[in-house]
Amino acid sequence: PMRQAIHNLEASKIREVANAGLGRDDVLAFWFGESDEVTPDFIRQAAIDSLQRGETFYAHNLGLPELREAVASYTSRLHPAVDVGRIAITSGGVSALMLAVQAVVNAGDEVVAITPVWPNLTAQPAIMGAQVRCVPLVPVNGEWTLDLDAVRAAVTPTTKLLIVNAPNNPTGWTMSSAEQQALLDHCRSTGTWILADEVYERLYYEPTPNGCAPSFLDIAAPDERLIVAHSFSKSFLMTGWRLGWLVLPPALVDGMGKLIEFNTSCASVFTQRAGIAALTRTDEVTPRVVAHLKHCRDTLVPLLATVPGVRVASAKGGMYAFFQLDGASDSLDTAKRLVTEAGLGLAPGNAFAPEAQGWLRWCFASKDPQRLVQGVDRLKSWLARQ
């Protein structure tokens, strides 16, 4: 029989809702965390050119040297300089996160996660046999905030790893530099590793000098117990390419090469060539993507705020409106009913944490913002019929 830890994993509630709408072309789908915009042409062309050159062979476990250089250069533009030797290329952001957990977590270890959060982040340590404790963010007028004292109380010298995703999926919560410093100081004192999922760092809508959200890389020394996970998916419209990276302390890099060997061997070369193209011309892609997403957010959130029974705050980062809906005591049931009765596809809040029961996540990464307006109309009509 399958290991108990695997047996205990919950199937994705987001997929469950999406399955309810399969085959229906009348559903406005906002359930998955991806834009409906195709990857820019020049990125696709770089992969095509690579395939035409016959680059169909294995690569170095840690990635093509050219891509590692490009990632180090890109990271060093946004944050204090990061040496190329600290970069590991992975087959997607999900793989980056799983590799990080495999690298530091033993069966029986205690892991603390700040929730609500994308369910993979709490499932991955559970797969390793860890004991996962969740510290909830606290909603205030629709905006989720960090209870720093609660996190400090939860993270003790017996805590092997603290998992933080900010800007956060689903809530849009973004850590301040002061909060990051407080957590880093505390984890130094307890000897706890930090795994920072910062894949949404560029999808940040507050004015900043470097055009991204605060990062643990801004304040941590290279040899700290810190692993930062990244992905090409969100900032470069490359979800289906499965390409990500890790920024590691130097002491972990050789071991990470071995782990990648035993997981995926390497990211595919033509995908990595696409990544190099994306990073080389990032200024042609990411600022436009972020400006468009900000427009989408500012289209959707004010409309949602006018809907009776809705509590919502404008997210500082990420690509989601996370809102509380009166009467939606069972988020999963509400989300399924919205699909079948209103043709509106949203993700249920309780997919991300028990404390998000009664909330719904709306991915606003839509090529046509008019779809968002139509979606709110469908929500209003449905609520009026209840």
Side-chain angles (χ1 to χ4, degrees):
M2 190 167 276
R3 284 174 51 221
Q4 194 61 40
I6 311 303
H7 187 72
N8 293 345
L9 293 174
E10 277 197 26
S12 168
K13 291 186 176 75
I14 306 169
R15 289 275 179 190
E16 196 173 328
V17 174
N19 289 343
L22 273 182
R24 284 188 52 182
D25 54 13
D26 62 331
V27 175
L28 289 172
F30 305 102
W31 39 48
F32 293 136
E34 66 177 351
S35 172
D36 56 1
E37 193 176 340
V38 171
T39 307
D41 179 65
F42 73 89
I43 297 175
R44 288 181 281 146
Q45 192 61 49
I48 292 166
D49 292 345
S50 171
L51 286 168
Q52 295 286 17
R53 288 194 300 271
E55 292 188 326
T56 58
F57 301 97
Y58 294 131
H60 193 288
N61 296 132
L62 293 169
L64 293 174
E66 307 96 299
L67 180 55
R68 294 177 74 199
E69 286 280 3
V71 167
S73 172
Y74 170 77
T75 307
S76 300
R77 276 175 53 194
L78 303 174
H79 307 293
V82 170
D83 184 79
V84 64
R86 295 176 59 200
I87 304 296
I89 304 301
T90 64
S91 301
V94 188
S95 180
L97 292 160
M98 189 73 217
L99 288 160
V101 171
Q102 288 175 346
V104 299
V105 173
N106 293 301
D109 279 349
E110 181 186 279
V111 173
V112 171
I114 296 173
T115 59
V117 76
W118 184 50
N120 292 40
L121 288 173
T122 48
Q124 288 169 335
I127 288 169
M128 297 301 296
Q131 305 299 312
V132 183
R133 294 180 59 194
C134 297
V135 180
L137 298 164
V138 181
V140 181
N141 298 324
E143 181 174 359
W144 293 74
T145 59
L146 181 67
D147 184 342
L148 202 49
D149 289 338
V151 181
R152 282 191 282 227
V155 176
T156 70
T158 61
T159 308
K160 175 61 78 73
L161 177 68
L162 170 66
I163 300 176
V164 186
N165 165 226
N168 175 262
N169 172 11
T171 66
W173 163 71
T174 303
M175 294 189 81
S176 68
S177 298
E179 287 170 333
Q180 288 179 331
Q181 189 67 60
L183 282 190
L184 183 61
D185 289 343
H186 182 72
C187 288
R188 282 169 177 160
S189 71
T190 59
T192 301
W193 283 86
I194 295 174
L195 172 55
D197 174 355
E198 297 186 356
V199 302
Y200 294 99
E201 74 164 0
R202 297 298 300 276
L203 308 190
Y204 188 58
Y205 310 114
E206 303 293 300
T208 59
N210 59 350
C212 67
S215 167
F216 280 98
L217 292 174
D218 297 329
I219 55 173
D223 58 354
E224 303 257 19
R225 293 186 174 188
L226 169 69
I227 303 173
V228 178
H230 269 287
S231 168
F232 283 84
S233 291
K234 316 299 179 181
S235 309
F236 299 101
L237 304 173
M238 292 176 68
T239 50
W241 295 77
R242 314 317 305 131
L243 191 63
W245 73 87
L246 290 164
V247 184
L248 302 160
L252 250 60
V253 176
D254 285 348
M256 187 57 70
K258 288 188 279 188
L259 260 184
I260 292 170
E261 169 64 35
F262 301 136
N263 273 270
T264 57
S265 180
C266 56
S268 58
V269 174
F270 55 92
T271 305
Q272 295 189 65
R273 294 287 183 211
I276 294 167
L279 291 174
T280 304
R281 294 168 61 180
T282 177
D283 292 341
E284 297 174 40
V285 182
T286 305
R288 179 184 63 78
V289 168
V290 175
H292 180 71
L293 288 176
K294 186 173 190 289
H295 174 60
C296 290
R297 179 198 69 169
D298 295 344
T299 300
L300 175 64
V301 173
L303 286 174
L304 271 180
T306 67
V307 178
V310 164
R311 268 175 302 287
V312 64
S314 195
K316 291 186 175 73
M319 55 203 293
Y320 310 104
F322 201 53
F323 65 98
Q324 193 172 19
L325 183 63
D326 288 347
S329 55
D330 183 334
S331 297
L332 181 59
D333 179 64
T334 302
K336 284 180 169 178
R337 287 185 61 200
L338 279 168
V339 171
T340 55
E341 298 170 20
L344 180 62
L346 305 178
N350 59 338
F352 305 94
E355 64 267 18
Q357 184 68 275
W359 293 69
L360 294 161
R361 188 194 75 175
W362 188 317
C363 178
F364 55 69
S366 183
K367 189 176 181 181
D368 177 10
Q370 221 27 59
R371 289 179 71 247
L372 303 170
V373 179
Q374 291 169 7
V376 176
D377 288 342
R378 292 187 184 190
L379 177 63
K380 280 181 175 172
S381 300
W382 182 78
L383 288 169
R385 296 197 299 271
Q386 300 313 300

